[in-house]
Amino acid sequence: MTSFNGSNNGNMHNGNGTNGNGANGKVKQNALRVIPLGGLHEIGKNTCVFEYGDDLMLVDAGLAFPSDGMHGVNVVMPDTSYLKENQKRIRGMIVTHGHEDHIGGIAHHLKNFNIPVIYGPRLALAMLTGKMEEAGVMDRTTLQTVAPRDVVKVGQHFSVEFIRNTHSMADSFSLAITTPVGTIIFTGDFKFDHTPVDGEHFDMARLAHHGEQGVLCLFSDSTNAEVPGFCPPERSVFPSLDRHIAQAEGRVIITTFASSIHRVAMILELALKNGRKVSLLGRSMLNVIAKARELGYMRAPDDLFVPIKQIRDLPDRETLLLMTGSQGEPLAALSRISRGEHPQVQVKPSDTIIFSASPIPGNTISVVNTVDRLMMLGAKVIYGKGEGIHVSGHGFQEDQKLMLALTKPKYFVPVHGEHRMLVCHSKTAQSMGVPADNILIIDNGDVVELTADSISKGDPVKAGIELLDASRNGIVDARVLKERQQLAEDGVITLLAVISTDGVMAAPPRVNLRGVVTTADPRKLSLWAEREITWVLENRWNQLSRNTGGKTPDIDWVGVQREVELGLQRRLRRELQVEPLIICLVQPAPAGSPAYKGRADAEPDNRPAPRNGRREAPRAQQQPRPAAASASAAPRQAPVAASASVAAAAAEPELAGRVRRRRSGAAG
Ligand SMILES: [Zn+2]
Ligand SMILES: [Zn+2]
């Protein structure tokens, strides 16, 4: 393989020895730094940085799926601020295999920074190409396909050997990374499958070779660290699937991960064997199978496949539908079918539906709900453990021990797992003779510093999450997510206030509720809104309105809105224990507008907690202001964002009407 060159370009100024990483200079010299930005304390978005001197190398960049409460979020990415800050030092990237939790982030990241070269297996890079074309980032990197035992040089300090391993995805690799401090074995996702479906065996000889030469540190897949024994081979599901398909009276509907290439290959083989034609449903199922067949990872005759529209012409006993939805994803084919929302497929009582996958933690509830719905429609549903229709792609404890035995590492870092899995894996390593002091359990953003005779944690770097909406372009930031959660849980209150440019409330506030459940009298809400506005005018107006010497005072209307929103929010939290989203819109009125006195002062103010002791601010304070208001200024425009909605809010009669009635009532 050609090695990527140019590692010194543009880095000559960086003579201060801080690696230019923007940290506080507390970087251990001559240490290898390994920094996971994702994949720890979770299953998903595996993204790992290797650094030495001025070289930075990435290993995988995946995505994760949203958890409950992440409304409207399509995928979850790691925060890549660290990579953006250090993009000049990125020398290249290594991809271990084509699962979404390892390659799903790459196309997105390439919009933010270039990666000079990406080395990876043929199948993974073929899948990545599709994503990059879609994102329009083909020119941001160079893709280089590798074969087993290839060694590539990345920057000046890394050379990476690709070691064939076995996993649920075809064409998967473990890595032996040679660095100035020693050799690192990075397992990637693996299990020891001695009878792989595609005949590609785990290259244990290479692992043992490195073990003999001396491995400084092992970074190993912890997914099934809690499960005793050896992981059964992928091939072991074949007889059970065969039996269920053979026994099916009507159609067979199977769902699995499209990327579980071996599983899909077996299902196609079984369809052929049982004389059933296959229809594929779901975009990823169609894409992955097309790619895998094109590259020769799956062999199936063309006439095995029939489009979904034509399969209805065949007898049910001669059909098999293979589709997405094994995780209960709401938009996937099987989920839609279970809700009766699929345009082409309706469940029949004679259907046999097989879930050949187990739910990723977090998806369990949506999966069982889908199973329930399918059963209620009368279908025979085969799912869960004990049916022999699914095995994991990740090794169990004995697989993990075998990895430790072959590589004999001095130091050990469990990765790719939730916290308890990492702890469990570290116990396994200790039982194999790795001293507890030589093991680090780390989190995303932690920095593992390795020298030939030490392992330690350095100062962490920024890590976190970035949430992408359905377009995969828009970022759902923390504020947006919080607002969506408020909307979903407590609804929204809009509040229209008319305030003159000299700081006088010129009309009663209009309050609207949407999705807010409260026992409070709506009049009380209006009253509270009035009080907050009055409070802000009395206590904050001086800061928010600056008379810059011009004809009109410079008023921070957004600040006024924000203050009212915060005050009302605090009050609702305190009084009603609800936290709706509050949107205050201010409509500016000309200076000298007649003041609306309202009822805020007509009733005793029961506010329990005066703020800043300024509650007693006398109304008299409001009196001197008209001096500034004497300027014959036209009202300033309300903030743009607000002005469009003002009309809408003003048009809402519901509460405004009540406020008016209340006023007339008060007058009478
Ligand atoms: Zn994987
Ligand atoms: Zn993975």
Side-chain angles (χ1 to χ4, degrees):
M1 295 300 301
T2 50
S3 71
F4 170 69
N5 171 358
S7 51
N8 269 333
N9 293 351
N11 287 301
M12 300 309 284
H13 328 282
N14 226 333
N16 57 8
T18 58
N19 289 347
N21 58 9
N24 306 326
K26 282 177 88 180
V27 171
K28 195 180 265 181
Q29 290 304 300
N30 305 319
L32 169 71
R33 288 157 50 88
V34 184
I35 312 167
L37 295 175
L40 288 167
H41 291 131
E42 63 178 339
I43 303 284
K45 67 182 171 61
N46 299 283
T47 307
C48 194
V49 173
F50 279 71
E51 293 187 335
Y52 189 91
D54 258 340
D55 288 342
L56 190 158
M57 174 177 82
L58 263 167
V59 176
D60 291 339
L63 56 73
F65 293 101
S67 49
D68 285 349
M70 291 186 180
H71 307 287
V73 172
N74 194 15
V75 294
V76 180
M77 296 278 175
D79 181 321
T80 50
S81 316
Y82 186 74
L83 292 172
K84 286 176 205 152
E85 282 162 25
N86 291 281
Q87 52 181 297
K88 285 214 173 89
R89 300 198 292 125
I90 301 175
R91 308 289 172 236
M93 176 172 188
I94 305 292
V95 165
T96 58
H97 68 291
H99 272 150
E100 284 284 289
D101 61 324
H102 296 260
I103 65 166
I106 300 173
H108 173 71
H109 300 327
L110 285 170
K111 292 180 192 166
N112 295 312
F113 49 83
N114 290 353
I115 300 173
V117 58
I118 299 176
Y119 298 104
R122 200 160 65 110
L123 180 58
L125 295 193
M127 291 165 67
L128 179 59
T129 305
K131 293 172 196 295
M132 285 171 53
E133 278 167 356
E134 215 170 280
V137 292
M138 283 307 283
D139 56 336
R140 300 298 188 88
T141 188
T142 311
L143 300 180
Q144 294 265 11
T145 302
V146 296
R149 298 198 176 187
D150 274 352
V151 178
V152 301
K153 201 156 166 36
V154 179
Q156 287 200 311
H157 297 109
F158 300 118
S159 48
V160 182
E161 178 186 344
F162 289 82
I163 299 172
R164 166 64 72 228
N165 73 15
T166 44
H167 181 40
S168 44
M169 175 97 199
D171 207 357
S172 174
F173 286 107
S174 295
L175 308 173
I177 304 171
T178 308
T179 77
V181 297
T183 299
I184 309 297
I185 299 288
F186 190 92
T187 66
D189 294 2
F190 78 97
K191 70 193 246 185
F192 284 102
D193 189 337
H194 303 299
T195 50
V197 173
D198 59 2
E200 288 272 320
H201 292 267
F202 205 134
D203 193 352
M204 290 157 69
R206 286 309 291 168
L207 287 180
H209 164 82
H210 289 289
E212 274 303 296
Q213 301 291 307
V215 168
L216 180 66
C217 188
L218 172 70
F219 289 77
S220 187
D221 174 3
S222 310
T223 311
N224 282 325
E226 299 163 295
V227 189
F230 275 107
C231 183
E234 175 67 24
R235 197 79 206 172
S236 66
V237 302
F238 192 87
S240 307
L241 282 176
D242 192 12
R243 183 165 41 85
H244 288 301
I245 294 172
Q247 285 170 356
E249 303 277 326
R251 295 185 301 187
V252 172
I253 294 176
I254 304 188
T255 183
T256 188
F257 282 113
S259 58
S260 297
I261 303 288
H262 304 310
R263 185 73 47 85
V264 171
M266 282 193 287
I267 292 166
L268 297 180
E269 191 183 332
L270 284 166
L272 202 60
K273 178 171 178 267
N274 287 281
R276 288 176 183 262
K277 296 285 184 196
V278 176
S279 266
L280 305 174
L281 278 89
R283 208 173 84 129
S284 62
M285 196 60 84
L286 287 154
N287 287 347
V288 173
I289 292 179
K291 277 263 149 62
R293 289 182 69 212
E294 185 188 316
L295 297 174
Y297 290 96
M298 241 177 237
R299 271 177 300 277
D302 286 343
D303 66 1
L304 179 66
F305 299 95
V306 175
I308 186 70
K309 280 183 185 147
Q310 288 162 29
I311 207 156
R312 278 179 288 191
D313 303 335
L314 295 172
D316 285 351
R317 291 200 61 120
E318 293 170 23
T319 64
L320 185 151
L321 312 185
L322 178 56
M323 61 183 67
T324 53
S326 69
Q327 300 300 305
E329 312 92 310
L331 299 178
L334 189 56
S335 315
R336 292 171 66 197
I337 290 171
S338 76
R339 293 193 304 267
E341 290 169 4
H342 197 280
Q344 276 116 11
V345 183
Q346 284 79 41
V347 171
K348 300 178 186 178
S350 57
D351 288 342
T352 299
I353 303 176
I354 304 173
F355 279 74
S356 185
S358 65
I360 294 173
N363 292 345
T364 312
I365 291 173
S366 22
V367 172
V368 294
N369 287 345
T370 308
V371 170
D372 279 347
R373 285 194 298 267
L374 292 167
M375 281 184 173
M376 287 192 293
L377 291 168
K380 178 181 176 193
V381 186
I382 298 157
Y383 70 99
K385 290 180 182 140
E387 291 285 352
I389 48 172
H390 176 67
V391 292
S392 177
H394 300 267
F396 296 177
Q397 282 172 2
E398 297 303 317
D399 300 72
Q400 292 168 349
K401 285 183 190 168
L402 180 53
M403 180 58 81
L404 283 152
L406 287 165
T407 56
K408 296 186 280 186
K410 184 169 182 179
Y411 301 112
F412 177 64
V413 180
V415 293
H416 202 291
E418 295 167 6
H419 185 73
R420 61 186 188 283
M421 302 166 186
L422 306 180
V423 171
C424 221
H425 202 177
S426 99
K427 292 202 176 118
T428 302
Q430 288 174 51
S431 78
M432 299 281 296
V434 181
D437 286 348
N438 287 14
I439 301 173
L440 274 189
I441 292 182
I442 51 169
D443 201 350
N444 296 328
D446 278 344
V447 177
V448 179
E449 291 183 335
L450 278 160
T451 67
D453 50 16
S454 72
I455 186 167
S456 58
K457 265 191 227 182
D459 287 345
V461 306
K462 188 163 184 270
I465 52 174
E466 197 168 86
L467 308 175
L468 304 191
D469 71 1
S471 70
R472 294 204 178 188
N473 289 317
I475 289 173
V476 182
D477 66 20
R479 185 183 53 85
V480 171
L481 185 64
K482 166 89 177 143
E483 287 171 0
R484 285 183 183 177
Q485 286 165 347
Q486 283 180 293
L487 280 171
E489 274 154 36
D490 286 321
V492 58
I493 293 181
T494 59
L495 162 60
L496 175 68
V498 184
I499 297 174
S500 67
T501 50
D502 50 356
V504 172
M505 194 182 348
R510 296 181 184 188
V511 180
N512 284 287
L513 278 65
R514 285 288 181 273
V516 179
V517 175
T518 171
T519 50
D521 184 341
R523 280 173 299 179
K524 201 173 211 172
L525 285 168
S526 299
L527 187 66
W528 286 344
E530 258 180 60
R531 285 202 184 139
E532 291 308 329
I533 295 164
T534 309
W535 189 89
V536 170
L537 295 178
E538 289 177 355
N539 296 283
R540 289 279 187 264
W541 190 256
N542 289 341
Q543 288 104 300
L544 294 166
S545 142
R546 219 170 293 133
N547 201 334
T548 47
K551 284 195 173 117
T552 51
D554 188 14
I555 296 161
D556 176 6
W557 290 114
V558 175
V560 173
Q561 291 171 173
R562 191 80 201 118
E563 290 268 2
V564 174
E565 285 167 6
L566 283 174
L568 192 56
Q569 196 168 41
R570 267 186 237 120
R571 184 185 283 272
L572 292 177
R573 203 187 300 141
R574 198 170 57 220
E575 310 257 348
L576 302 178
Q577 288 79 48
V578 292
E579 218 171 320
L581 186 67
I582 297 173
I583 303 169
C584 173
L585 308 163
V586 174
Q587 195 168 47
S593 300
Y596 162 71
K597 303 255 185 208
R599 300 239 314 198
D601 299 303
E603 286 182 10
D605 188 342
N606 299 323
R607 274 199 249 185
R611 284 162 298 190
N612 307 331
R614 302 179 67 172
R615 245 208 53 210
E616 314 309 334
R619 266 192 83 74
Q621 251 192 10
Q622 221 175 334
Q623 302 311 333
R625 250 185 264 122
S630 63
S632 61
R636 297 192 116 214
Q637 282 303 305
V640 181
S643 55
S645 326
V646 165
E652 174 57 53
E654 188 187 338
L655 266 160
R658 275 182 220 151
V659 172
R660 260 180 245 117
R661 278 198 298 280
R662 182 162 61 76
R663 278 191 72 199
S664 50

